[in-house]
C-alpha cells in the first residue's frame, strides 16, 4: 500500500505525539519548531489536542535570524540570550508538561562565522538552561526530538538534485527512517521498542566493567560506571508516563566511568555541531580525560566544545548501534546527529544521564561522580562505529566476550 505525502506526514505527527512525547490527557505541551516546518508543527498541535492535551504552545525558530546575529551583532554581546525561550521550557516542565522539539537546521549555517562568538553564546545558554537540562537528563518530564527538511540541509544531503527535489528526497528518507511511510507505524514501533528493551536488559545484566572498541584506527577501552543501567527505546517518567525521546532511535546506551577511558578513537562520520561540520575527529584519552584532540575539518569548533568546562573533557555516554540499522542501510549521511547517531555506535563528550546509574536520579552529585557518572554543561554525540568495528565486553575479572563483530551484535 502506497501512502500519499499527506498520509505520511499525518503518520509522522501522530507517531511523534503518541509514541514519541507520549502526551497524556490533561498535559500541556510545548512544541519548538523552525518556521520552515510549520506544516508539520501544526499537525503535531492537532494530534496533541486529539490525544487530550490541555494546552499546546509553539515556540518558533528561524535559521536566518540566528545567522544574522552571529554575522552582524557587535563583539561583546554574545553572553546575551533570550531567557524567555528557556523560561518557556522550564515553566512547562515545572507544570508537569511535555516538550516536543522539531530540530532542523542547515548543518553549515554557522560554518563561516567566528567560532568564539558561537562558543560564548552556547556556554551562556547552557548555563541558564541547566535547570531544564537536569530534568531532561533524569527523565523527570516526557520529551521528544524529531526533525524535518529545511533549506540548505536537504540540498547538502542531495547536492545533485534541484532544491525542490532535494526536499522531496529528504522527506522520503525521514519517513523511511521513522517508519512513517508504513500504514501502521505505531504498531511497528511497539515491536521495535520491545526489541530494544530486550537488548538493554541483557546488557544491564552483564554488568561489564568495560567495553573495548577495535578497528578502523580506533583502539579504545571505555570503562563503565559502577552499577550502570543500559537505556534504549522507551523510558518512563517518575509519574509513569512512557515516552521515546528520539524518533528515530536504534541505539542502546549507558554511562562510561568518567575516570576509566583509555586509548585512541577516530570518528567514522562527520559531526554537525552548532552550525559547523566537524570531520576526521581523532581523540586520545588517559584515565578518562581527553589528552589530545584534532580534526581534519572544524578543529577549532571541536576544541572549543571540549573546553566548555571540566566535564566536557570526559565522556558521558557510550552507545551501541548495529551497522545494519535502517539508517545505516540507507547509505545516506544526514548531517544531523539525531539520524546519524542511529547509523553507528557512538560516544558523547560531556554530561551523563543520571538514570544510567542505578539510583543516580536521586543521588547527590558527589555520589553520582563517585560512581563514575559525569557532569557538564554540554552533551555532544559523535559517531565511532562502522562495519570495521569489533566490540568486546570486559568482565570485572578481566575475561572477555564478543559483543559486536564487524559492527553487528553477536550476543
Amino acid at each position: 500500500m502506497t501512502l500519499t505525502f499527506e498520509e505520511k506526514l499525518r503518520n509522522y505527527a501522530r507517531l511523534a505525539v503518541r509514541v514519541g512525547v507520549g502526551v497524556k490527557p490533561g498535559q500541556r505541551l510545548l512544541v519548538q519548531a523552525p518556521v520552515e516546518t510549520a506544516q508539520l508543527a501544526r499537525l503535531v498541535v492537532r494530534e496533541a489536542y486529539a490525544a487530550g492535551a490541555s494546552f499546546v504552545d509553539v515556540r518558533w525558530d528561524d535559521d536566518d535570524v540566528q545567522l544574522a546575529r552571529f554575522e552582524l551583532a557587535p563583539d561583546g554581546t554574545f553572553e546575551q540570550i533570550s531567557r524567555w525561550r528557556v523560561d518557556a521550557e522550564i515553566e512547562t516542565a515545572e507544570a508537569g508538561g511535555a516538550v516536543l522539539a522539531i530540530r532542523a537546521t542547515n548543518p553549515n549555517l554557522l560554518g563561516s562565522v567566528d567560532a568564539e562568538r558561537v562558543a560564548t553564546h552556547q556556554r551562556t545558554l547552557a548555563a541558564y538552561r541547566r535547570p531544564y537540562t537536569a530534568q531532561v537528563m533524569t527523565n523527570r518530564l516526557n520529551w521528544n526530538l524529531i526533525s524535518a527538511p529545511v533549506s540548505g540541509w536537504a540540498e547538502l544531503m542531495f547536492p545533485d538534485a534541484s532544491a525542490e527535489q532535494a526536499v522531496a528526497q529528504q522527506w522520503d528518507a525521514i519517513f523511511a527512517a521513522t517508519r512513517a511511510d508504513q500504514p501502521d507505524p505505531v504498531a511497528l514501533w511497539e515491536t521495535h521498542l520491545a526489541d530494544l528493551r530486550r537488548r538493554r536488559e541483557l546488557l544491564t545484566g552483564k554488568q561489564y566493567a568495560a567495553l573495548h572498541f577495535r578497528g578502523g584506527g580506533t583502539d579504545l577501552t571505555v570503562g563503565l560506571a559502577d552499577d550502570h543501567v543500559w537505556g534504549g527505546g522507551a523510558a518512563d517518567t517518575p509519574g509513569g508516563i512512557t515516552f521515546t525521546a528520539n524518533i528515530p532511535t536504534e541505539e542502546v546506551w549507558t554511562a562510561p566511568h568518567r575516570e576509566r577511558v583509555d586509548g585512541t578513537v577516530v570518528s567514522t562520520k562527520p559531526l554537525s555541531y552548532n552550525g559547523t561540520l566537524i570531520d576526521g575527529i581523532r581523540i586520545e584519552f588517559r584515565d578518562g580525560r581527553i589528552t589530545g584532540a584534532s580534526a581534519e575539518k572544524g578543529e577549532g569548533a571541536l576544541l572549543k566544545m571540549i573546553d566548555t568546562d571540566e566535564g566536557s573533557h570526559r565522556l558521558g555516554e557510550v552507545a551501541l548501534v548495529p551497522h545494519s540499522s535502517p539508517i545505516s542501510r540507507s547509505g545516506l549521511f544526514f548531517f544531523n546527529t539525531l539520524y546519524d547517531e542511529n547509523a553507528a555506535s557512538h560516544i558523547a563528550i560531556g554530561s551523563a544521564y543520571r538514570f544510567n546509574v542505578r539510583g543516580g536520579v536521586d543521588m547527590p552529585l558527589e555520589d553520582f561522580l563517585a560512581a563514575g557518572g559525569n557532569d557538564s554543561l554540554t552533551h555532544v554525540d559523535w559517531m565511532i562505529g562502522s562495519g570495521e568495528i569489533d566490540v568486546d565486553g570486559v568482565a570485572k575479572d578481566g575475561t572477555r566476550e564478543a559483543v559486536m563483530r564487524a559492527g553487528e551484535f553477536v550476543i
Side-chain angles (χ1 to χ4, degrees):
M1 177 181 178
T2 301
L3 304 182
T4 66
F5 174 82
E6 289 73 18
E7 289 171 329
K8 294 174 187 176
L9 196 65
R10 282 195 296 272
N11 273 352
Y12 192 30
R14 186 174 301 113
L15 193 62
V17 170
R18 304 278 180 165
V19 175
V21 76
V23 171
K24 294 302 178 188
Q27 260 199 317
R28 62 185 291 181
L29 174 67
L30 173 65
V31 179
Q32 302 165 344
V35 292
E36 290 185 65
T37 67
Q39 183 182 11
L40 173 61
R42 290 166 184 152
L43 284 175
V44 165
V45 170
R46 290 185 172 275
E47 285 292 339
Y49 280 124
S54 60
F55 171 53
V56 186
D57 200 6
V58 180
R59 193 199 77 185
W60 299 103
D61 301 316
D62 185 0
D63 268 5
D64 194 61
V65 170
Q66 184 182 33
L67 178 61
R69 182 186 182 194
F70 286 109
E71 286 183 334
L72 303 174
D75 289 336
T77 64
F78 292 93
E79 290 185 349
Q80 298 179 46
I81 59 170
S82 298
R83 296 190 174 204
W84 64 268
R85 299 170 71 82
V86 180
D87 291 343
E89 296 175 320
I90 296 172
E91 178 188 331
T92 300
E94 290 179 347
V99 177
L100 189 155
I102 303 173
R103 291 282 176 80
T105 189
N106 180 347
N108 272 326
L109 182 70
L110 304 180
S112 61
V113 305
D114 184 350
E116 183 58 37
R117 290 182 166 204
V118 179
T120 299
H121 171 75
Q122 287 299 322
R123 281 194 299 269
T124 306
L125 179 63
Y128 187 73
R129 198 169 180 253
R130 192 158 194 161
Y132 173 72
T133 304
Q135 300 222 40
V136 169
M137 301 298 279
T138 55
N139 280 348
R140 292 191 181 278
L141 79 157
N142 45 320
W143 58 281
N144 172 254
L145 300 180
I146 59 173
S147 198
V150 294
S151 300
W153 180 26
E155 293 157 70
L156 188 63
M157 275 190 69
F158 302 100
D160 297 328
S162 68
E164 184 178 352
Q165 290 171 336
V167 168
Q169 290 180 51
Q170 191 176 38
W171 268 125
D172 287 343
I174 288 173
F175 289 148
T178 60
R179 303 169 174 83
D181 59 351
Q182 300 301 308
D184 190 356
V186 171
L188 292 175
W189 268 87
E190 289 173 350
T191 299
H192 176 53
L193 293 173
D195 290 340
L196 289 174
R197 182 173 62 250
R198 284 191 288 270
R199 177 149 285 143
R200 81 189 188 209
E201 290 173 351
L202 171 65
L203 287 166
T204 297
K206 294 285 187 180
Q207 283 298 297
Y208 293 126
L211 297 176
H212 184 199
F213 293 78
R214 298 188 313 273
T218 288
D219 187 353
L220 184 73
T221 299
V222 180
L224 301 183
D226 300 338
D227 206 12
H228 58 273
V229 177
W230 285 79
D236 296 314
T237 69
I241 299 175
T242 300
F243 68 101
T244 305
N246 292 349
I247 291 181
T249 184
E250 304 290 336
E251 64 178 313
V252 289
W253 78 93
T254 194
H257 195 293
R258 66 190 305 273
E259 297 179 349
R260 299 175 189 165
V261 181
D262 293 279
T264 301
V265 60
V266 298
S267 62
T268 53
K269 294 178 181 291
L271 165 66
S272 176
Y273 173 69
N274 290 334
T276 300
L277 279 177
I278 306 173
D279 199 6
I281 299 171
R282 179 184 176 89
I283 292 183
E284 297 172 3
F285 290 86
R286 183 174 180 181
D287 296 331
R289 198 175 195 277
I290 293 173
T291 57
S294 63
E296 296 172 5
K297 180 179 181 180
E299 182 172 300
L302 173 68
L303 297 179
K304 287 185 182 300
M305 179 258 287
I306 292 171
D307 204 34
T308 299
D309 53 27
E310 173 55 31
S312 56
H313 290 78
R314 301 177 185 274
L315 294 185
E317 178 183 327
V318 57
L320 301 178
V321 179
H323 184 57
S324 59
S325 76
I327 298 173
S328 179
R329 288 200 308 269
S330 76
L332 295 172
F333 178 61
F334 280 80
F335 299 91
N336 180 307
T337 301
L338 175 62
Y339 287 86
D340 295 325
E341 73 171 2
N342 288 298
S345 295
H346 52 273
I347 52 180
I349 287 171
S351 197
Y353 290 99
R354 289 295 197 101
F355 50 79
N356 282 138
V357 173
R358 197 172 304 280
V361 169
D362 299 314
M363 281 181 183
L365 177 59
E366 56 269 25
D367 292 345
F368 182 66
L369 297 177
N374 194 37
D375 184 58
S376 173
L377 289 174
T378 194
H379 178 99
V380 181
D381 299 273
W382 51 287
M383 286 57 73
I384 67 169
S386 73
E388 299 180 28
I389 298 294
D390 293 338
V391 182
D392 284 348
V394 183
K396 292 183 174 72
D397 64 4
T399 57
R400 294 170 171 259
E401 68 175 345
V403 174
M404 303 182 90
R405 287 292 179 264
E408 299 298 333
F409 282 106
V410 293
I411 60 169

